[in-house]
Amino acid sequence: MKAKTHASCARGIGFALFLALPVGQIAQVSAAPLLTADKVDSLYTDNDGDAIADVGDIIKYTITVSNVGDVALTNVHIRDQLDLNLIFDADHNVEFGLDSLGYAYTANFALAVGNNRSFGLFVEVGDRFLADSVSNQASVYAAELTASVLSDDPDTATQFDATVTPISQTTIPEPTTLALFGLGLAGLGAMRRRKLAA
Ligand SMILES: [Ca+2]
Ligand SMILES: [Ca+2]
């Protein structure tokens, strides 16, 4: 007769333990890592004082990550792909870096059960903005989670939705820009005159 393998012995012992355990212990709920991320926009610098973000103004996103599960979270970090017309504000950002793919990101951090942590992300509205709003959404990762979690705009009822910021369309070129534009035209005219004279 063939001898029992170690694996089959282990299975047998395991089955015996399963039978011996009280029902309450068998039904024990497993640990559930869980986090949420709120993303709120605000106008940090409003150059023309119109209370709307427009070219040159700085938007501050405040992203708050909360550990709402029953497991301590490690290697938590935020990644946020910026709209092409938003400029990462190197002067104000201290908690976010920018990678070569255009993602703003935080360093890894730990988050105990029930704790939260907020981060400020500063972006400047670029001068090629054609839309009347800009939409941004962050993703949050943790070693204990099998998938990333999308941020939510807490100002709207929809869950896990992007944060949408209105952008003003009434940007008037500054006098210096107009003056340079005029000089450029004058220079082109002079070049053309020189070519005709040659
Ligand atoms: Ca403004
Ligand atoms: Ca929402």
Side-chain angles (χ1 to χ4, degrees):
M1 190 181 150
K2 199 179 171 186
K4 269 190 170 183
T5 63
H6 288 301
S8 64
C9 281
R11 274 199 296 275
I13 293 164
F15 184 64
L17 282 172
F18 173 81
L19 289 176
L21 280 170
V23 174
Q25 286 187 29
I26 291 169
Q28 206 171 36
V29 178
S30 61
L34 202 60
L35 67 77
T36 60
D38 284 351
K39 183 173 180 179
V40 178
D41 58 348
S42 60
L43 198 50
Y44 184 76
T45 302
D46 185 12
N47 291 310
D48 58 3
D50 64 353
I52 304 173
D54 45 11
V55 174
D57 285 348
I58 295 171
I59 300 167
K60 180 185 179 185
Y61 293 114
T62 303
I63 303 166
T64 304
V65 182
S66 305
N67 183 345
V68 293
D70 55 10
V71 176
L73 299 172
T74 60
N75 287 346
V76 186
H77 59 279
I78 303 169
R79 285 189 90 205
D80 194 327
Q81 188 170 28
L82 299 180
D83 184 283
L84 287 174
N85 292 306
L86 290 180
I87 302 160
F88 182 81
D89 181 4
D91 292 338
H92 291 94
N93 278 306
V94 288
E95 294 168 311
F96 278 89
L98 187 70
D99 70 16
S100 57
L101 298 173
Y103 283 88
Y105 64 93
T106 63
N108 287 348
F109 59 98
L111 209 52
V113 173
N115 280 15
N116 65 67
R117 193 168 159 187
S118 292
F119 297 84
L121 171 60
F122 299 85
V123 290
E124 184 183 323
V125 179
D127 60 3
R128 292 183 183 171
F129 227 97
L130 298 174
D132 57 5
S133 67
V134 63
S135 174
N136 259 95
Q137 191 163 30
S139 296
V140 187
Y141 302 77
E144 291 74 14
L145 295 177
T146 52
S148 60
V149 174
L150 287 172
S151 65
D152 171 59
D153 179 357
D155 296 338
T156 65
T158 309
Q159 286 192 312
F160 305 111
D161 59 334
T163 300
V164 180
T165 308
I167 302 289
S168 169
Q169 291 289 292
T170 55
T171 303
I172 301 158
E174 289 178 14
T176 49
T177 313
L178 284 174
L180 286 171
F181 183 64
L183 280 173
L185 283 180
L188 276 175
M191 272 174 65
R192 217 169 267 146
R193 280 193 296 277
R194 275 199 296 276
K195 275 188 181 169
L196 285 172

